[in-house]
Amino acid sequence: AQKITQTQPGMFVQEKEAVTLDCTYDTSDQSYGLFWYKQPSSGEMIFLIYQGSYDEQNATEGRYSLNFQKARKSANLVISASQLGDSAMYFCAMRGEGYSTLTFGKGTMLLVSP
Amino acid sequence: DVKVTQSSRYLVKRTGEKVFLECVQDMDHENMFWYRQDPGLGLRLIYFSYDVKMKEKGDIPEGYSVSREKKERFSLILESASTNQTSMYLCASGVQGTRYEQYFGPGTRLTVT
């Protein structure tokens, strides 16, 4: 079984600053995948970034990067140069070995202020 | 772009009614999923499907059923709606492969009175 923990219910950041959203996971699988999704107030879940457990380099997608520390079982999302449009709920999720289903954390609400 | 659509954004039903939530994807994905989202609980998987006419229970299937008669369409059915099924329902589709990435629809906010 997989478990995702997001310990930050809410985060505040000023525009143009960087912010790190924490995610830790628990699994006994050797092969797994980690995802981050963004959910604006409109409700739709938007895929941001993916990290495979065997990927040697941290994933990056534009202003998003994933700080993957396998030994610590953490997969933190780093957003550089925050924008007002980044205000949303952010979910960390993982897929276990051989599974197509995702286990989600409870989310972190990010508010970006001018 | 992947497109996942859901039949309604907002729905209000009465206790005891049979409720159908429809989801359609246009990317020929094998996998489809239904989640419910509640504040403080994140997303919880209700049912999923690997193929036409195939269905698998997720973490919270009680009170729900599903139907997948065509590859692009996955329906969630509340046989007798109850107030504790008031929630946001999210449908997703995904292709089988190394990443198993999922793409989500806009969600249906269901209120049962």
Side-chain angles (χ1 to χ4, degrees), chain B residues 13-31:
Chain B
K13 295 292 182 180
R14 293 191 182 276
T15 302
E17 278 192 80
K18 190 169 186 176
V19 181
F20 293 86
L21 302 183
E22 305 285 338
C23 176
V24 177
Q25 52 98 359
D26 67 357
M27 284 303 292
D28 202 36
H29 286 166
E30 295 90 353
N31 302 332

Side-chain angles (χ1 to χ4, degrees), chain A:
Chain A
Q2 289 80 42
K3 184 178 180 182
I4 293 285
T5 302
Q6 294 180 253
T7 56
Q8 306 155 314
M11 288 285 286
F12 295 89
V13 67
Q14 280 202 311
E15 205 175 1
K16 299 180 184 176
E17 290 184 350
V19 62
T20 298
L21 305 184
D22 294 341
C23 173
T24 58
Y25 60 92
D26 189 25
T27 182
S28 57
D29 293 341
Q30 296 301 308
S31 174
Y32 49 88
L34 295 154
F35 301 78
W36 277 93
Y37 284 85
K38 172 185 177 181
Q39 187 180 40
S41 56
S42 59
E44 186 169 350
M45 296 280 284
I46 301 166
F47 165 74
L48 294 179
I49 196 166
Y50 168 84
Q51 178 84 41
S53 59
Y54 290 118
D55 294 341
E56 293 185 353
Q57 301 220 345
N58 286 343
T60 60
E61 292 283 351
R63 293 186 299 112
Y64 304 108
S65 61
L66 200 152
N67 184 1
F68 181 47
Q69 298 187 41
K70 196 170 182 177
R72 299 179 65 179
K73 292 189 174 179
S74 75
N76 298 339
L77 177 71
V78 181
I79 306 174
S80 63
S82 299
Q83 301 173 356
L84 296 178
D86 293 334
S87 292
M89 184 73 94
Y90 289 81
F91 290 95
C92 180
M94 78 173 296
R95 168 192 59 74
E97 186 167 7
Y99 290 93
S100 63
T101 58
L102 298 180
T103 299
F104 285 82
K106 294 183 179 180
T108 296
M109 174 64 79
L110 175 67
L111 290 177
V112 181
S113 60

Side-chain angles (χ1 to χ4, degrees), chain B residues 38-101:
Chain B
D38 301 288
L41 297 179
L43 276 74
R44 294 179 291 167
L45 182 64
I46 305 172
Y47 268 97
F48 60 101
S49 169
Y50 290 121
D51 201 349
V52 176
K53 297 193 186 294
M54 302 294 288
K55 60 183 178 183
E56 298 284 345
K57 292 181 180 179
D59 300 319
I60 52 165
E62 296 78 18
Y64 304 94
S65 62
V66 290
S67 172
R68 194 169 182 197
E69 296 296 320
K70 294 185 177 181
K71 191 174 185 179
E72 68 271 19
R73 188 179 298 269
F74 193 35
S75 302
L76 180 69
I77 303 156
L78 288 66
E79 295 290 342
S80 178
S82 63
T83 55
N84 62 14
Q85 292 178 310
T86 291
S87 186
M88 169 73 101
Y89 290 87
L90 291 161
C91 175
S93 74
V95 64
Q96 295 190 25
T98 54
R99 285 166 51 136
Y100 292 97
E101 182 177 324

